[in-house]
Amino acid sequence: MPSPLELLASNLHDVFGNRDAAARRRAIETIYTDDVVFTDPEESVTGWDAVEAKAAALLDGAPAEFEFADDGIAYTGADAGALAWTFGPSGSPVARGIDLITVRDGRIAELRTLLHE
């Protein structure tokens, strides 16, 4: 069973940072519960298809050189975790945020993204 730290890394890099749609979908089905709730400043959505649509829209709308990177240390507990990140060209991020996860049965059941203002 993956740890919250492993889930945080996979969420950032294998899902939201992955431009390969088939590999991204495999990661989604592996690391999230099928009823995952994802909340960002725009909305709250539920399920694998909704997470896939959010990741695809973000990546499809961003220049090819934009990437996600860890931004500091992760914080974890038995069933929760938090990881700060940046998004943009390497070394010149245009966005910063933090992902907060709740884990159930070894998968992310809730993902909340907060953005730096």
Side-chain angles (χ1 to χ4, degrees), residues 1 5 7 9 11 16-17 39-40 44 48 51-52 54 57-58 66-67 75 78-80 82 93 98 103-105 117:
M1 191 174 314
L5 181 60
L7 291 169
N11 170 69
F16 284 90
T39 303
D40 66 11
S44 186
W48 290 342
V51 170
E52 168 64 22
K54 293 292 279 188
L58 176 66
F66 277 38
E67 62 186 16
Y75 296 86
D79 63 353
I98 188 168
V103 178
R104 182 177 76 229
D105 299 326
E117 295 287 328

Side-chain angles (χ1 to χ4, degrees), residues 17-108:
N18 192 345
R19 293 181 186 269
D20 178 327
R24 183 173 57 236
R25 182 59 186 218
R26 283 191 301 275
I28 286 169
E29 293 181 11
T30 300
I31 69 165
Y32 302 107
T33 61
D34 61 354
D35 62 346
V36 61
V37 175
F38 171 50
T39 303
D40 66 11
E42 296 174 352
E43 64 185 334
S44 186
V45 299
T46 302
W48 290 342
D49 291 343
V51 170
E52 168 64 22
K54 293 292 279 188
L58 176 66
L59 293 171
D60 292 348
E65 67 273 11
F66 277 38
E67 62 186 16
F68 280 96
D70 299 8
D71 190 30
I73 60 174
Y75 296 86
T76 63
D79 63 353
L83 177 67
W85 49 262
T86 62
F87 184 61
S90 182
S92 299
V94 298
R96 292 182 185 277
I98 188 168
D99 288 335
L100 309 168
I101 62 169
T102 302
V103 178
R104 182 177 76 229
D105 299 326
R107 293 182 175 201
I108 298 172

